[in-house]
Amino acid sequence: GGGVFQGWAGGYPEIVKENELFERYYRELGIVPAGEWGAFMAALREPLPATLRITGYRSHAKEILHCLKEKYFTELQDLEVDGQKVEMPQSLSWYPEELAWHTNLSRKILRKSPQLEKFHQFLVSETECGNISRQEAVSMIPPLLLNVNPHHKILDMCAAPGSKTAQLIEMLHADMNVPFPKGFVIANDVDNKRCYLLVHQAKRLNSPCIMVVNHDASSIPNLQIDVDGRKEVLFYDRILCDVPCSGDGTMRKNIDVWKKWTTQNSLQLHGLQLRIATRGVEQLAEGGRMVYSTCSLNPIENEAVIASLLEKSQGALELADVSSELPGLKRMPGITKWKVMLKDGQWFEEWKDVPSNRQSQIRPTMFPVKDEEKLKTMNLERCLRILPHHQNTGGFFVAVLIKKSPMPWNKRQPKVHQKLPQRTGDTEVTAANSGNGSECITEEPTLDENEESKKTQELQNSDTEQSKKEGVCGPPPSKKMKLFGFKEDPFVFLPEDDPLFLPIQKFYALDPSFPKMNLLTRTQEGKKRQLYMVSKELRNVLLNNSEKMKVINTGIKVWSRNSDGEQFGCAFRLAQEGIYTLYPFIHARIINVCIEDVKILLTQENPFLSKFSSETQKKVKDMAMGSIVLKYDPDPEKPDDLQCPIVLCGWQGKTSLRAFVPKNERLHYLRMMGVEVFKAKRKEEESESKTEEEVQHGLAQTEEGMDVEDKEHDLVTKMEAEIGEESSHSPVESSAMEVENKIEDLDQSSKNANSHVNQESKDADTSNVKD
């Protein structure tokens, strides 16, 4: 965000925001309108405003917006810090429904006043929940221009760190009443470590329709899916191609770019960018849309790539005119003339001028098309370039491509929904010819291969096929994967007749339409501790491609095992992260609660049943102990109350009722209900900061953070079985909700369970927030 780098201490030298070569290069290319050069350079030297986006697919996005505007922004009015009036946040005029905002507040200023600190804490906590994404304004543009619908199959080719991926997931879930949209997002990144950052971002949105994979985007494999018993190549309806770039549009944020910038970066990246974009359009369905984007202003990385792609496509691709989309966004059209410069400042206008000793650095595809007629049909002006001084943003480039027909080197590819002909004896050859003398591209094979290669393939895949029948999607063979990284656990789908499922189905009265075939675990041996869920479309992808695809993560956790849980009617309790997906299928163990009950559940560690409304007490009275669903429905006749539904996972004991909700999510719901959580949070931070550090270190060692919660819950369940329900008034749900700073308490609770009961009894009449 803006201002983070200002006033660095500790002996770091001040970076001078000057680069003569940068100025000479962009002045000569003329990408900045006449008379605006001074404003352009001045904007680049200013810190970038911090921007945030409210995730748009949850029904409470409006509640968060209301909370921001009415509570936090109102408190900023007339506020002064160090004698300066605080600038009010502004919504981005071009982002739909006021769901994106920018502010010039730096982190340093955010911490200087109690009002601002509250606002800062709100941002941090809501970001952890996945309700707010702190994302650069220009980075929000590509997903918006993809025009995603919930049925679209989407590939995000270079996805990490994942803010654009999150936008795509939101668009799939535009209607929250549909737990399994038909579309999905496959998010890829070449860097194994960054894939885990991607997983973290995607997991906050709790979607069964996202898969994270680890491949080189320029050679990402063709995937196959089963369509009515036949194998078909998977083509994507939408592809986001946000390629690695020199990043000179990020100078306001990454100030290292000022001293490191040279034209060499663009020259080295151009070939990779073209290969990735080519691989993208090969996998795009006819009629599909691909957005190519960079955070660079350089035409070598932008228009040159697009022009080369259009030329080799021979009419198969066209640039979409998006001038009427995102009204309010100030943009410059793409350029049609540019030159190429070496890092020593030497210019070249045409490929024929490049001496032979420079031809490895400079390629023919870097130059503009000379044929005026051909250039005109390309419509390069339909590309758009965002300049930093026009709307106080970073610099950015976007081009939207539509695929009209198969690529010329792959004319015989089947259409995305077309049945494949059954061929046996003959061979089809696909030409790997880029059509313009540049490097060859590995092309998508048709599914009609010759008989010999088919037999070889069958022998190689016999084990794999058997695994598929058993619903096991193991990691790909190591010899095929040249990427480094952690060894991934297999994805094992629950067999149709798995005895594990019947008690779950009965206990929660699952609807007959519940897609149990979509349940999976991450282990082939031993007890299944977690059950995850994916959409049937992603199941299809997993089962048919596990041998050629390195899957890092997919599915959301829907159930977790309790040790000794069978005595409560079911060995598996509901997991909060998957509850919005599961809820439509559950017909038993649902308790409708009023807003006061919700407040008690979220503010008290382990409330007795007597604290709840009489209606809730009646519903619970005849219900067996164990995992439950707590549902709040808003009352339109009480407009001051929270106006969005809430579904919580809970646990019913003999004398108590509690919620299992992660800490930040709990704070989120309380904020939306107008409960002040700030003071309690401050107190907790002061008293337990050391504990938090220790536990965070412990969490980093676990495969999944919330698995710590499961271990805690298992221990408490065991205690309940051994010494009776009364002892369960140990703060178990506090443990579940505050993994970061309550783990030690649990060790103590096993030795001192009865003292917790006594303490809970003392607290029985209090209603303070126990944060």
Side-chain angles (χ1 to χ4, degrees):
V4 177
F5 297 98
Q6 287 184 316
W8 270 1
Y12 286 102
E14 182 73 24
I15 289 179
V16 180
K17 295 178 180 178
E18 299 284 346
N19 188 307
E20 188 190 338
L21 191 68
F22 173 87
E23 292 203 40
R24 183 147 63 94
Y25 183 71
Y26 281 116
R27 268 185 187 273
E28 180 70 23
L29 290 181
I31 65 161
V32 178
E36 294 183 22
W37 184 259
F40 169 72
M41 290 303 296
L44 283 178
R45 293 185 176 105
E46 285 295 310
L48 190 69
T51 45
L52 62 93
R53 184 175 57 77
I54 299 167
T55 56
Y57 79 95
R58 293 190 182 176
S59 53
H60 49 240
K62 286 179 184 171
E63 296 291 330
I64 298 169
L65 180 59
H66 178 78
C67 186
L68 262 177
K69 288 166 77 172
E70 301 302 317
K71 183 177 186 336
Y72 293 97
F73 292 170
T74 308
E75 289 178 358
L76 300 182
Q77 279 179 340
D78 307 318
L79 187 66
E80 288 192 6
V81 178
D82 291 347
Q84 281 195 319
K85 193 172 183 300
V86 169
E87 205 174 298
M88 286 292 287
Q90 301 292 319
S91 65
L92 299 180
S93 61
W94 47 267
Y95 201 96
E97 300 180 55
E98 280 192 310
L99 290 177
W101 294 73
H102 72 98
T103 168
N104 283 328
L105 296 168
S106 70
R107 291 183 192 183
K108 187 178 174 185
I109 292 173
L110 277 170
R111 291 194 174 101
K112 275 208 168 184
S113 117
Q115 292 97 319
L116 286 178
E117 195 178 353
K118 260 192 250 188
F119 178 43
H120 181 245
Q121 203 178 88
F122 168 82
L123 296 180
V124 171
S125 181
E126 293 295 329
T127 299
E128 269 307 302
C129 285
N131 297 318
I132 279 177
S133 180
R134 286 180 285 179
Q135 180 180 356
E136 202 174 327
V138 288
S139 163
M140 302 174 192
I141 297 169
L144 291 176
L145 290 177
L146 266 179
N147 287 357
V148 169
N149 287 320
H151 65 275
H152 283 151
K153 299 175 186 72
I154 307 163
L155 174 64
D156 189 348
M157 298 187 79
C158 310
S163 50
K164 297 183 189 74
T165 312
Q167 265 179 287
L168 297 172
I169 297 169
E170 289 166 38
M171 292 167 182
L172 281 184
H173 291 275
D175 182 356
M176 277 303 282
N177 294 318
V178 180
F180 293 102
K182 288 188 177 174
F184 55 77
V185 178
I186 293 179
N188 174 69
D189 203 85
V190 67
D191 187 318
N192 187 265
K193 286 179 183 172
R194 280 166 63 89
C195 280
Y196 292 92
L197 182 60
L198 188 54
V199 168
H200 173 73
Q201 284 275 59
K203 270 198 162 191
R204 295 180 311 145
L205 297 175
N206 298 332
S207 168
C209 305
I210 167 77
M211 179 188 288
V212 176
V213 299
N214 180 199
H215 287 278
D216 175 354
S218 64
S219 57
I220 194 165
N222 305 296
L223 302 185
Q224 294 179 6
I225 49 174
D226 191 296
V227 180
D228 300 328
R230 293 187 183 185
K231 293 286 178 69
E232 289 193 8
V233 175
L234 170 60
F235 291 99
Y236 300 94
D237 304 299
R238 298 288 185 268
I239 294 180
L240 179 55
C241 186
D242 186 53
V243 295
C245 66
S246 63
D248 59 20
T250 69
M251 281 177 146
R252 301 180 67 176
K253 182 176 68 173
N254 303 322
I255 55 173
D256 267 3
V257 178
W258 281 97
K259 63 177 183 183
K260 290 179 179 174
W261 189 91
T262 162
T263 56
Q264 190 66 20
N265 299 339
S266 296
L267 300 179
Q268 287 172 343
L269 284 163
H270 169 88
L272 174 65
Q273 291 162 339
L274 181 54
R275 287 195 300 277
I276 292 174
T278 303
R279 191 70 193 116
V281 295
E282 283 171 8
Q283 300 206 334
L284 191 63
E286 286 180 49
R289 181 179 271 221
M290 182 174 98
V291 168
Y292 175 91
S293 61
T294 73
C295 46
S296 165
L297 300 170
N298 201 325
I300 306 299
E301 301 176 65
N302 297 327
E303 284 92 345
V305 172
I306 295 301
S308 178
L309 200 53
L310 289 169
E311 188 171 24
K312 70 163 79 173
S313 82
Q314 298 174 22
L317 300 172
E318 75 170 22
L319 275 168
D321 181 0
V322 292
S323 55
S324 60
E325 296 182 37
L326 306 186
L329 177 67
K330 292 179 184 171
R331 63 198 94 182
M332 296 296 296
I335 60 175
T336 55
K337 305 287 179 197
W338 62 88
K339 297 185 286 185
V340 179
M341 183 205 264
L342 287 172
K343 64 179 178 181
D344 60 7
Q346 187 180 358
W347 288 100
F348 298 99
E349 294 200 24
E350 292 185 60
W351 167 248
K352 62 181 176 64
D353 301 334
V354 180
S356 56
N357 66 333
R358 296 293 195 186
Q359 288 184 2
S360 59
Q361 289 173 277
I362 298 178
R363 304 299 300 146
T365 52
M366 295 176 183
F367 292 90
V369 175
K370 291 295 177 190
D371 184 329
E372 288 296 329
E373 203 56 45
K374 195 186 279 187
L375 189 63
K376 195 176 178 183
T377 61
M378 285 184 176
N379 297 308
L380 286 179
E381 70 284 348
R382 290 180 178 176
C383 300
L384 54 112
R385 185 177 270 101
I386 312 293
L387 297 179
H389 63 294
H390 284 165
Q391 278 175 307
N392 196 11
T393 63
F396 213 70
F397 175 89
V398 187
V400 182
L401 292 155
I402 292 174
K403 189 171 183 178
K404 311 296 283 183
S405 60
M407 302 307 283
W409 56 86
N410 198 16
K411 278 291 184 194
R412 293 183 183 139
Q413 82 176 40
K415 290 189 179 179
V416 68
H417 297 303
Q418 184 180 310
K419 286 270 200 304
L420 291 178
Q422 296 299 301
R423 304 272 293 276
T424 50
D426 51 339
T427 305
E428 285 202 8
V429 180
T430 56
N433 186 357
S434 61
N436 61 358
S438 68
E439 69 273 12
C440 292
I441 311 293
T442 49
E443 300 313 339
E444 190 166 8
T446 64
L447 289 187
D448 306 309
E449 298 170 334
N450 66 35
E451 198 63 30
E452 190 181 337
S453 66
K454 270 188 177 178
K455 283 177 185 172
T456 311
Q457 195 65 34
E458 280 168 18
L459 285 170
Q460 287 176 342
N461 289 343
S462 58
D463 293 339
T464 308
E465 288 301 323
Q466 185 57 37
S467 289
K468 283 181 200 169
K469 284 173 189 169
E470 294 165 5
V472 179
C473 308
S478 56
K479 65 181 178 184
K480 285 191 181 180
M481 301 307 303
K482 292 180 181 175
L483 302 167
F484 298 101
F486 302 105
K487 185 180 185 298
E488 294 301 324
D489 292 323
F491 295 85
V492 186
F493 284 93
L494 229 57
E496 185 93 43
D497 54 353
D498 196 313
L500 199 72
F501 183 70
L502 207 60
I504 296 175
Q505 188 174 32
K506 191 177 173 186
F507 190 70
Y508 297 102
L510 295 178
D511 195 89
S513 67
F514 178 76
K516 65 178 178 182
M517 293 292 284
N518 298 358
L519 287 172
L520 61 89
T521 63
R522 296 299 302 271
T523 178
Q524 281 176 269
E525 296 161 11
K527 262 192 174 182
K528 298 174 175 70
R529 283 190 52 78
Q530 319 285 354
L531 293 181
Y532 302 89
M533 198 154 195
V534 293
S535 64
K536 73 172 184 184
E537 287 77 14
L538 274 188
R539 180 183 190 275
N540 193 341
V541 174
L542 263 176
L543 283 175
N544 286 291
N545 300 281
S546 61
E547 74 280 2
K548 62 167 74 171
M549 186 172 63
K550 185 171 182 185
V551 181
I552 299 297
N553 197 278
T554 191
I556 49 167
K557 183 162 54 172
V558 285
W559 279 291
S560 291
R561 182 184 286 277
N562 295 314
S563 296
D564 303 326
E566 284 87 348
Q567 64 178 305
F568 300 116
C570 182
F572 285 86
R573 66 176 177 82
L574 297 160
Q576 181 67 28
E577 66 188 68
I579 195 60
Y580 284 95
T581 300
L582 271 189
Y583 176 73
F585 300 101
I586 297 175
H587 294 309
R589 306 197 61 77
I590 297 171
I591 297 174
N592 287 89
V593 289
C594 63
I595 197 159
E596 293 308 319
D597 287 342
V598 176
K599 287 178 185 174
I600 290 167
L601 283 162
L602 296 177
T603 59
Q604 296 187 34
E605 288 183 345
N606 199 16
F608 287 119
L609 287 172
S610 56
K611 292 188 178 182
F612 293 94
S613 65
S614 54
E615 290 87 349
T616 298
Q617 289 183 52
K618 279 179 204 165
K619 289 170 195 164
V620 172
K621 193 177 176 186
D622 300 320
M623 199 177 277
M625 285 167 57
S627 188
I628 52 168
V629 178
L630 300 153
K631 175 77 188 299
Y632 162 75
D633 285 306
D635 185 348
E637 292 180 15
K638 295 180 181 174
D640 292 338
D641 282 356
L642 186 67
Q643 287 301 301
C644 66
I646 294 176
V647 184
L648 306 176
C649 288
W651 184 272
Q652 183 206 329
K654 280 182 188 169
T655 58
S656 66
L657 192 63
R658 56 184 177 264
F660 279 105
V661 183
K663 176 181 171 183
N664 283 317
E665 202 168 329
R666 177 167 53 98
L667 295 178
H668 158 71
Y669 289 130
L670 289 171
R671 282 194 196 96
M672 296 305 104
M673 292 185 289
V675 176
E676 181 58 73
V677 293
F678 179 75
K679 288 172 187 169
K681 171 107 175 132
R682 289 291 296 162
K683 189 177 174 185
E684 170 197 294
E685 279 177 350
E686 286 162 15
S687 64
E688 301 192 29
S689 57
K690 193 171 182 183
T691 304
E692 188 164 348
E693 275 179 36
E694 291 165 3
V695 179
Q696 284 292 354
H697 176 72
L699 280 183
Q701 309 304 313
T702 64
E703 188 179 355
E704 293 178 27
M706 289 306 287
D707 284 351
V708 179
E709 171 208 312
D710 300 326
K711 285 165 191 165
E712 295 172 69
H713 182 263
D714 291 346
L715 180 54
V716 175
T717 309
K718 203 168 279 185
M719 284 161 46
E720 288 184 353
E722 287 168 5
I723 48 183
E725 166 64 17
E726 285 72 21
S727 68
S728 73
H729 294 297
S730 55
V732 57
E733 68 281 35
S734 178
S735 315
M737 295 182 290
E738 303 179 55
V739 179
E740 302 98 303
N741 42 28
K742 293 286 185 182
I743 292 178
E744 301 84 351
D745 292 353
L746 199 57
D747 297 331
Q748 189 62 30
S749 72
S750 59
K751 299 171 192 168
N752 246 337
N754 287 315
S755 68
H756 285 295
V757 182
N758 299 336
Q759 183 60 46
E760 177 61 27
S761 304
K762 287 176 193 171
D763 291 343
D765 298 325
T766 67
S767 57
N768 296 330
V769 177
K770 293 183 188 171
D771 193 16

